[in-house]
Amino acid sequence: MTNSTNQRIVVTGAAGMLGSQIVDMLLSRGDTVIGIDNFLTGATANLSAALAHPNFELISADISDGIEVAGQLDAVLHLASPASPLHFRTMPLEILRVGSTGTLNALDLADRTGATFLFASSSEVYGEPEVHPQSESYLGNVNPLGERSCYDESKRFGEAATDTYRRDRDLDIRIARIFNTYGPRNRADDGRVVPNFITQALANKPLTVFGDGSQTRSYCYLDDQAEGLLLLLKSDVTAPVNIGNPTEHTVLHLAELVTEMTGSTAGIVSLPLPQNDPVRRRPDITRARELLGWNPTVDLPEGLERTIDYFRTLGPVAD
Ligand code: UDP
């Protein structure tokens, strides 16, 4: 855990999987936290510990409409956005709005309060990568017109906006490029592959493998991801930094692991591959290792075990 700091910090997207994990970590190290969420995809249950903490304040609001926070701040961690490919189809305009207007509002908040600004960017800025693994110097291959573009281009815009505030306003910035994060606190109906497979397996329903399952992802456990972001915040690195686990797995292998670990007997079912679904994705984390001293510590079987336990405690999920 990062040292005690006694800072005053705003977290946008505080009720999300990653936002709420970070809120809890900040509170436990002695910071005062103001969490903002519009609960479009966030969950109140994720903030149950925080809401009982005297140093936590929750603002239920859409940051795209503006952000009202009085007083000086040490940091603004801008994590708000729906992030599942399911949401790219069901709430694309909300994604565009929070990625553009919401990000500008969060940047203005940091600028007027003298705060360091951390932007939660994404491996999606690399699009369908033509180089493998992806290092931060790779400029990406994003389709500006496809189904994923609302999210990918929002994250690219967010990076551009953040770096522009650094140059034009001398804002102290951090940019984290987050690779597939999973863990407890993920919604069962989130639509991403790990919660989908686990909830399907626990209900003994076939796991929905999109395409032939040969596409790869590199899955980072929630605690590792949150620790990486806090180390980045504490550093003085203003260039983008990949935060992800560099061990790559096919989707089919993930399905096999989940099947084995849950004892599901329902097998898998093949469904069509979504448009522009990247074929391969793996972070080069040399920069995070060298500049932050960060290394993920939870491997996929261990992280899945913890996540499966979490979903078991939630009980059966409605269809
Ligand atoms: N996927 C799948 N079945 C599902 C959900 C996702 O096979 O029920 C695949 C998806 O096509 C992609 C990978 O799993 O190749 C990771 O998808 P996810 O939605 O978790 O995130 P992405 O990395 O695509 O943003």
Side-chain angles (χ1 to χ4, degrees):
M1 188 61 237
T2 329
N3 325 331
S4 175
T5 59
N6 288 311
Q7 295 189 339
R8 188 163 182 261
I9 296 180
V10 161
V11 177
T12 77
M17 171 178 65
L18 186 53
S20 64
Q21 173 73 26
I22 287 185
V23 166
D24 286 349
M25 289 165 79
L26 295 174
L27 289 171
S28 74
R29 74 178 194 187
D31 293 329
T32 295
V33 181
I34 300 151
I36 312 178
D37 209 295
N38 66 352
F39 294 93
L40 188 60
T41 59
T44 317
N46 285 340
L47 291 174
S48 52
L51 286 166
H53 199 290
N55 294 344
F56 181 70
E57 182 193 338
L58 174 65
I59 300 176
S60 291
D62 187 338
I63 61 159
S64 303
D65 296 332
I67 309 179
E68 299 295 330
V69 176
Q72 288 305 108
L73 293 170
D74 295 291
V76 173
L77 311 188
H78 178 37
L79 310 181
S81 178
S84 166
L86 173 67
H87 306 141
F88 304 169
R89 288 192 294 279
T90 58
M91 40 185 90
L93 294 179
E94 290 85 348
I95 291 173
L96 281 178
R97 212 163 155 254
V98 72
S100 53
T101 311
T103 298
L104 292 176
N105 288 341
L107 280 161
D108 282 335
L109 174 69
D111 189 33
R112 69 176 179 265
T113 57
T116 296
F117 182 83
L118 184 144
F119 178 59
S121 185
S122 167
S123 57
E124 292 284 335
V125 300
Y126 300 123
E128 174 65 83
E130 294 153 309
V131 301
H132 195 78
Q134 295 80 54
S135 72
E136 293 85 351
S137 60
Y138 178 49
L139 299 184
N141 178 36
V142 170
N143 179 356
L145 301 179
E147 196 173 79
R148 300 177 86 93
S149 65
C150 58
Y151 188 78
D152 297 13
E153 296 292 9
S154 286
K155 292 299 180 186
R156 291 176 70 89
F157 171 82
E159 288 199 13
T162 302
D163 200 49
T164 302
Y165 271 67
R166 177 186 64 79
R167 277 181 277 106
D168 198 62
R169 305 285 307 167
D170 205 22
L171 191 70
D172 186 30
I173 65 156
R174 312 283 183 269
I175 298 173
R177 290 184 178 157
I178 295 172
F179 283 67
N180 293 72
T181 303
Y182 72 99
R185 302 169 187 252
N186 217 173
R187 289 176 73 119
D189 62 357
D190 170 276
R192 276 174 281 191
V193 68
V194 173
N196 269 10
F197 281 0
I198 293 178
T199 51
Q200 289 160 351
L202 291 179
N204 210 36
K205 291 183 176 159
L207 274 54
T208 52
V209 171
F210 298 165
D212 65 6
S214 64
Q215 69 272 31
T216 68
R217 295 292 186 274
S218 305
Y219 303 96
C220 186
Y221 188 65
L222 176 61
D223 298 38
D224 281 333
Q225 183 62 246
E227 192 67 35
L229 292 192
L230 292 188
L231 283 171
L232 175 62
L233 177 65
K234 201 172 76 165
S235 78
D236 57 2
V237 182
T238 59
V241 181
N242 288 339
I243 308 284
N245 189 315
T247 308
E248 191 179 354
H249 301 267
T250 64
V251 165
L252 210 50
H253 181 234
L254 177 70
E256 284 160 7
L257 272 177
V258 172
T259 298
E260 195 182 298
M261 295 172 77
T262 55
S264 166
T265 54
I268 62 168
V269 61
S270 282
L271 293 180
L273 194 65
Q275 187 192 20
N276 293 133
D277 194 289
V279 176
R280 298 187 75 185
R281 181 185 288 157
R282 173 154 70 95
D284 176 335
I285 60 165
T286 309
R287 188 175 285 179
R289 280 191 177 123
E290 289 179 355
L291 300 185
L292 311 181
W294 177 79
N295 237 335
T297 58
V298 181
D299 66 13
L300 188 59
E302 188 186 341
L304 284 178
E305 194 78 59
R306 295 189 204 173
T307 311
I308 290 168
D309 283 349
Y310 169 79
F311 278 104
R312 273 192 215 280
T313 64
L314 291 185
V317 176
D319 283 325

